[in-house]
């Protein structure tokens, strides 16, 4: 079910308060799914759920950023 305007605004404000941003990137869907499964981050069933894939990618980016500091 789509988010209401109030829900979208609340999410935006929460991200803003945490210093987070949303970005859109284009990736090879199958290569990404294969990577996430082969590295044990997600199961084959979990890579079929876009929200879990998005969270796994966000976790990877956050981990890479922490290692750069």
């Amino acid at each position: 079910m789509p988010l209401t305007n109030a829900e979208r605004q609340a999410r935006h404000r929460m991200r803003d308060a945490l210093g987070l941003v949303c970005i859109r990137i284009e990736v090879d869907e199958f290569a990404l799914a294969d990577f996430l499964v082969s590295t044990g981050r997600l199961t084959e069933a979990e890579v079929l759920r876009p929200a879990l894939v998005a969270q796994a990618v966000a976790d990877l980016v956050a981990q890479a950023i922490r290692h750069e500091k």
Side-chain angles (χ1 to χ4, degrees), residues 31-46:
L32 177 60
D34 185 51
F35 172 77
L36 293 172
V37 170
S38 68
T39 58
R41 293 185 179 276
L42 294 178
T43 66
E44 289 185 17
E46 291 171 332

Side-chain angles (χ1 to χ4, degrees), residues 19-51:
L20 302 174
V21 296
C22 283
I23 60 171
R24 289 183 65 106
I25 59 170
E26 294 182 10
V27 298
D28 180 318
E29 176 182 17
F30 301 108
L32 177 60
D34 185 51
F35 172 77
L36 293 172
V37 170
S38 68
T39 58
R41 293 185 179 276
L42 294 178
T43 66
E44 289 185 17
E46 291 171 332
V47 296
L48 299 176
R49 298 177 54 196

Side-chain angles (χ1 to χ4, degrees), residues 58-69:
D59 292 345
L60 280 167
V61 171
Q63 183 180 25
I65 291 169
R66 283 193 304 270
H67 283 132
E68 287 295 315
K69 291 183 178 182

Side-chain angles (χ1 to χ4, degrees), residues 4-22:
T4 66
N5 287 337
E7 290 169 326
R8 276 194 300 278
Q9 186 176 31
R11 284 185 177 192
H12 174 76
R13 287 182 175 158
M14 184 179 1
R15 280 192 307 269
D16 194 40
L18 295 172
L20 302 174
V21 296
C22 283

